[in-house]
Structure formats: C-alpha cells, structure tokens
Amino acid sequence: MTERKRLVAGNWKMNGLRADGRALARDVAARAREPHRCELLVCPPATLLETVGEALAGSDVALGGQDCHSEPKGAFTGCISAEMLRDAGCMYAIVGHSERRHTCGETDRDVRAKTLAAWRAGLVAIVCVGETRAEREAGRAETVVESQLLGSVPENATAGDLIVAYEPVWAIGTGLTPTMADVTEMHAAIRARIPAGARILYGGSVNPKNAAEILALNEVDGALVGGASLKAEDFWAIAYACR
Ligand code: 13P
C-alpha cells in the first residue's frame, strides 16, 4: 500500500475580507517555500477564493471550498456548486462539517449527495464526521460516527477522492481535545469502514502546542484546522509538526 501523505488543511470558516485573506494566503505561501513534509490546503470563504487563489499561485498550497451544493447549477439562491468551486481553482471541498450539520440541518443524505457532486466536478471530498459531547458521554461516539460514515460516504469511494475528517463537535473551537487513545481508537474504527489508503484527518482545537502529539499518531493522516489556520505563523507551526 502506498504511504499516506499527511495533509494539513485550514478551514477559515466565515472569516476574512479581501485584504486580510490576501495577506494571510501570501504569508502561508511564503512559509510553504520552506521544506515541509505534508500537503497544505486552505479553504477560505467563497468570496475569497479568487483572491486567495491568486496569492497562492506558484506555491504548493492547494485551494478548497468549505461546502458545495449537490446540483451543478440552478435556482438555489445563495448556494455554490462543486463545478463553481472547481472553476475558481479548488481541488477539494469540505462537506458535512458539523457547523452545517447542526446549524443548517444537513443530514447524512445531503452530505452523501454533496460528496457525489464534489466527485462529479473532479474535487476530492473531505467528509466530516464527529459526535457531540452528549453522544460521547453516553458511550455512543463510535456508533454515531459509523452511522454518519454509512450515510454520508458513497459506496464507490476511493482513496484518491475521499478524505474523512474526524471532528468531535465538542472539541471544535473549545480548546478541548480527546485523549490520544480516543483519537487512535476512533480513527481505527473509521479506517475499517473506508477504502484502504484513504486519509483520515483529525480536527478540533488543533494548535501549535498540541499538533506534534496529535500528528505523531500513526492513525492520524493530518489535521483540519479552524481558528489556528487564521494566523500564518500558527498554521505553519502545525504543518511543521508533521515530522
Ligand atoms: P477549531 O480548530 O477552531 O477548533 O475548528 C476545527 C474545525 O471545525 C475545522 O473544520
């Protein structure tokens, strides 16, 4: 089996106007000229895709979207298709982020349709899964994640077009992280249910302090970083932790 190259991805969420997005992307691209042992990806808001894409040109930092609609075009006010992301220079699309599952009511079925849309447009889908605190406390974390995978990941997924991001909802933006044993156990459970060689990222309060420990785990193929990806120095420190 080929080695799984680690991926450090920044999810900027709803942050950044053009001037700061351009500056942040330029800073990331400049740092990425240093040798590094992981692939790098940034997923800015849709309004910044073009600006950030220009700032990243010539670097090896890839561009991704934070979500996509399942249809290629049509009367869906406010939505963006996978084809539009691809047209804007994206190679990846995050789908099923917990903030969309929980605040926009997205179901596994929706996430599955978005994953298929990403593939239709030639994008790699980063499918997010993760349990809530109540689900973990009830001892249901693995059951919940397995059921999300079953419902969200189409059966014809391949290692080349699927990445899973395990993001415990209670760890997002809270400064809390699972124990390394819990991350390992969950990633192993996920690995048993996805194509061989597909990568699994950990996401949820990854920062320069905890990145080395998390990224040293065999089961962890990279990180999906929220808050810390908004500072080039911190994002780079996380990427640098991939040894
Ligand atoms: P934080 O790194 O801010 O916890 O966010 C994680 C996340 O949701 C990435 O998609």
Side-chain angles (χ1 to χ4, degrees), residues 11 13 97 99 167 171-174 203-206 224-228:
N11 174 7
K13 307 191 179 183
H97 192 280
E99 283 148 19
E167 300 206 307
I172 296 177
T174 58
S205 296
V206 177
L224 184 53
V225 185

Side-chain angles (χ1 to χ4, degrees), residues 8 14 53 58 74 79 91 95 99-100 108-109 136 140-141 161 175-177 188 216 219 228 243:
V8 173
M14 196 174 74
C79 299
M91 296 306 288
V95 292
E99 283 148 19
R100 299 204 58 89
D108 288 331
R109 199 186 152 95
R136 176 155 288 273
R140 297 183 51 239
D161 60 20
L176 302 172
T177 50
E219 282 296 339
R243 302 285 178 87

